[in-house]
Amino acid sequence: MLKRKTEIFKLLGFTVSVDVSWGIILFLVVWSLAKGAFPAYYPNLSMQTYWIMGVIGALGLFLSIIIHEFSHSLVARKYGMDIKGITLFIFGGVAEMKDEPNNPKTEFFMAIAGPIASLILSMLFGILYQMATVMELPVPIIAILGYLSAINVLLAIFNMIPAFPTDGGRILRSILWWIKGDIRVATLVASRISVFFAMFIIFTGFMHLIQGNVMGGVWWILIGSFLFSAANSSYQSLLIKQSFAGKKVEDYMNKNPVTVPSHISLQEFVDQYLYPYHYKMFPVTQDGTISGLITLNALKSVPREKWPTTQVIQIMQKTTKDNTLPAAMSVQEAMFLMNESGISRMLVSAHHKIVGIITLKDMLEFFTLKIELEE
Ligand SMILES: [Zn+2]
């Protein structure tokens, strides 16, 4: 599995990680500051100075985003929500929540904390900028403070765009939630408004392109497409999160799965198990305990004429971390892992024993049933 994020440090019990995309962004920020913004506003400095200013400016931005995310996380924690950590990625950061907020008030304050933190930072940097100007400190210091003041206002504004999953989108949803009293309706409406905003931003990008502003245009289109896909998927993922909140693998596992003895032949397996039950995976027992599994795919890899002479044990997969989930794992995490690995049927273990099996299909069927009942 490709590791997309790297842990950088821990603070106040939160783990701060960076997504790989952030490396690229960091470089782009340094580069555009050193080559573009600083020379344009503060000419006649050496190239070396501009690069140093660029690096410090980018680090300041990095710190500002971390403070923004921390404010979300601290407020969330104050309301008793479990935050795993903070990941910085391409358009800023995300605080990783295990659950959705359980009332509109929590969501509102949690969401608005970020932009407020950015505005406060902007003011602080603005004051420092004024002081540095009055005290006639070296130009690079004044320039960096000015930049940080401006970029924090931009961060606050960008995050207030009412398009899921930005802070503005969450604020919008929390207000709708409060008015309608139903998080699902609120999310649906908020994600539709978000899609509209995203399309508007993409449209703005194309207008810029037509007018010859290529960089600006591409930037708008990128942001718009990101918001577009996020807005589209947020409603669905909310429904899933909500339905499975607090549920564990053991709540949905099949505790008495049909098991196959390891010593029978593949032909017997096909006749006695595969055709009657038509599952794609069966746990395999040896001396009465489950010690592995057999899949349809593994069977297909053996030529048909060898089925009568090949035993189940010869093609069974031993229980490993890759095909076994702990019974106490949250359903959301299990679904995430199944999606990542593409393995939709797994064994479930508790206290070093296989206690059942879980399939993505069962969980999704439960989910559709629940939605249908509540519709
Ligand atoms: Zn935010």
Side-chain angles (χ1 to χ4, degrees):
M1 221 187 295
L2 178 72
K3 216 177 164 207
R4 277 194 51 93
K5 57 180 200 180
T6 315
E7 230 177 274
I8 43 176
F9 63 85
K10 277 199 172 89
L11 185 66
L12 301 172
F14 300 119
T15 309
V16 178
S17 322
V18 280
D19 184 90
V20 282
S21 64
W22 231 86
I24 305 161
I25 289 297
L26 201 58
F27 172 76
L28 278 178
V29 172
V30 173
W31 182 73
S32 63
L33 284 178
K35 287 287 208 181
F38 285 142
Y41 286 100
Y42 304 93
N44 306 323
L45 297 173
S46 73
M47 202 54 234
Q48 196 194 356
T49 312
Y50 287 132
W51 280 110
I52 295 170
M53 289 162 72
V55 171
I56 297 173
L59 288 176
L61 170 63
F62 185 77
L63 195 73
S64 301
I65 293 175
I66 291 179
I67 292 172
H68 174 113
E69 294 308 324
F70 258 97
S71 64
H72 286 308
S73 306
L74 288 171
V75 172
R77 189 194 269 171
K78 186 177 170 289
Y79 283 102
M81 286 178 59
D82 195 3
I83 302 286
K84 276 191 285 187
I86 290 162
T87 300
L88 299 175
F89 80 127
I90 193 154
F91 295 114
V94 271
E96 291 162 33
M97 288 182 290
K98 276 192 174 161
D99 298 309
E100 288 284 326
N102 49 20
N103 62 65
K105 198 176 122 199
T106 306
E107 170 144 76
F108 179 83
F109 286 114
M110 205 189 95
I112 209 160
I116 288 177
S118 294
L119 284 177
I120 292 173
L121 278 174
S122 171
M123 270 161 48
L124 288 178
F125 282 120
I127 292 168
L128 289 174
Y129 167 80
Q130 296 294 347
M131 280 164 55
T133 314
V134 173
M135 289 160 71
E136 292 178 16
L137 292 183
V139 172
I141 295 177
I142 296 174
I144 292 166
L145 291 171
Y147 162 72
L148 289 175
S149 178
I151 198 75
N152 273 297
V153 168
L154 281 179
L155 273 178
I157 294 173
F158 173 74
N159 276 293
M160 286 302 285
I161 297 174
F164 234 60
T166 64
D167 300 335
R170 284 190 168 275
I171 292 167
L172 173 70
R173 181 177 80 172
S174 70
I175 294 169
L176 290 166
W177 184 4
W178 178 67
I179 295 171
K180 305 247 179 202
D182 182 346
I183 188 176
R184 251 179 42 209
V185 177
T187 310
L188 185 62
V189 177
S191 60
R192 282 191 186 145
I193 296 176
S194 306
V195 168
F196 169 78
F197 263 98
M199 291 197 310
F200 177 74
I201 291 170
I202 296 173
F203 173 76
T204 312
F206 279 111
M207 292 310 288
H208 278 285
L209 275 186
I210 291 167
Q211 287 159 8
N213 177 3
V214 178
M215 262 318 280
V218 169
W219 192 231
W220 282 114
I221 292 170
L222 260 177
I223 294 177
S225 334
F226 164 75
L227 290 176
F228 186 78
S229 69
N232 265 323
S233 62
S234 63
Y235 179 60
Q236 241 180 345
S237 71
L238 171 96
L239 288 181
I240 291 182
K241 264 191 176 175
Q242 213 193 351
S243 300
F244 292 116
K247 299 283 192 222
K248 298 197 174 358
V249 165
E250 60 194 355
D251 299 327
Y252 297 96
M253 70 181 181
N254 177 355
K255 286 177 190 134
N256 299 302
V258 178
T259 58
V260 175
S262 61
H263 62 267
I264 64 169
S265 74
L266 293 185
Q267 191 59 55
E268 285 170 313
F269 165 65
V270 172
D271 296 336
Q272 294 167 22
Y273 294 91
L274 199 62
Y275 284 150
Y277 298 105
H278 48 78
Y279 299 143
K280 286 180 179 147
M281 184 272 267
F282 292 83
V284 176
T285 51
Q286 262 174 316
D287 311 319
T289 49
I290 298 170
S291 58
L293 57 90
I294 180 167
T295 63
L296 181 63
N297 280 340
L299 173 76
K300 281 199 280 190
S301 67
V302 180
R304 203 168 267 265
E305 62 273 15
K306 292 200 173 146
W307 286 1
T309 55
T310 311
Q311 275 186 309
V312 164
I313 194 165
Q314 289 171 275
I315 64 161
M316 90 171 199
Q317 288 170 31
K318 286 260 168 212
T319 50
T320 62
K321 265 189 158 179
D322 295 327
N323 58 28
T324 311
L325 295 176
M329 180 183 264
S330 78
V331 168
Q332 266 171 260
E333 206 169 341
M335 287 178 102
F336 177 77
L337 280 177
M338 285 174 154
N339 264 326
E340 285 263 288
S341 63
I343 305 172
S344 55
R345 291 168 179 78
M346 297 206 187
L347 299 172
V348 180
S349 70
H351 312 294
H352 308 289
K353 247 187 74 189
I354 302 297
V355 291
I357 65 169
I358 186 145
T359 69
L360 196 56
K361 199 171 143 243
D362 287 347
M363 288 190 279
L364 290 175
E365 268 170 11
F366 162 83
F367 171 67
T368 4
L369 198 72
K370 191 164 185 246
I371 296 299
E372 256 175 49
L373 279 176
E374 287 174 12
E375 210 81 295

